[in-house]
Amino acid sequence: GRAYIGVVLILKNNEIGIILFQRYRSQGYAAKALALLLDQVKPQPKISGGTFRARIHPHNFRSIRLFEKAGFAHAYNIYQL
C-alpha cells in the first residue's frame, strides 16, 4: 500500500539530494522531506566543515528557493574545463 514519490539521499560528503517524480513536484513534498531530514539527521562533523550542502543548477529556481527557505545560503559556483 505505499507509493514511492522519489528519493532523498545524503552523500558521504554531507551533500543532500532530493529527486521527485515529475507528477509529485510542486506539491510541498520536497519541503516536508527536507524538514524531516534536517530534524532527524546531523551532518558528519569532520566532513565539509560539518555542514550540509546541496548542489543545485543555477537555473533551478524552485530548488534554490526550497533550500533557502530551509536556511541554506548560496556559497559559490563551480566552473570546470
Side-chain angles (χ1 to χ4, degrees):
R2 293 185 187 204
Y4 292 96
I5 64 170
V7 64
V8 177
L9 50 92
I10 304 172
L11 302 176
K12 290 181 181 181
N13 64 351
N14 286 337
E15 190 171 302
I16 297 172
I18 301 174
I19 304 165
L20 297 178
F21 296 132
Q22 184 69 39
R23 64 181 165 186
Y24 296 106
R25 295 179 186 171
S26 299
Q27 297 180 39
Y29 292 118
K32 289 178 185 179
L34 182 58
L36 284 170
L37 182 142
L38 295 174
D39 186 51
Q40 296 179 15
V41 179
K42 301 302 175 210
Q44 295 295 318
K46 296 181 181 180
I47 301 171
S48 301
T51 60
F52 282 126
R53 295 182 178 182
R55 187 180 311 238
I56 304 170
H57 189 281
H59 295 131
N60 188 342
F61 302 114
R62 288 181 179 173
S63 288
I64 292 169
R65 190 169 44 249
L66 168 72
F67 280 88
E68 285 180 346
K69 284 184 177 182
F72 286 69
H74 180 262
Y76 55 85
N77 292 336
I78 299 171
Y79 296 87
Q80 293 180 307
L81 176 62

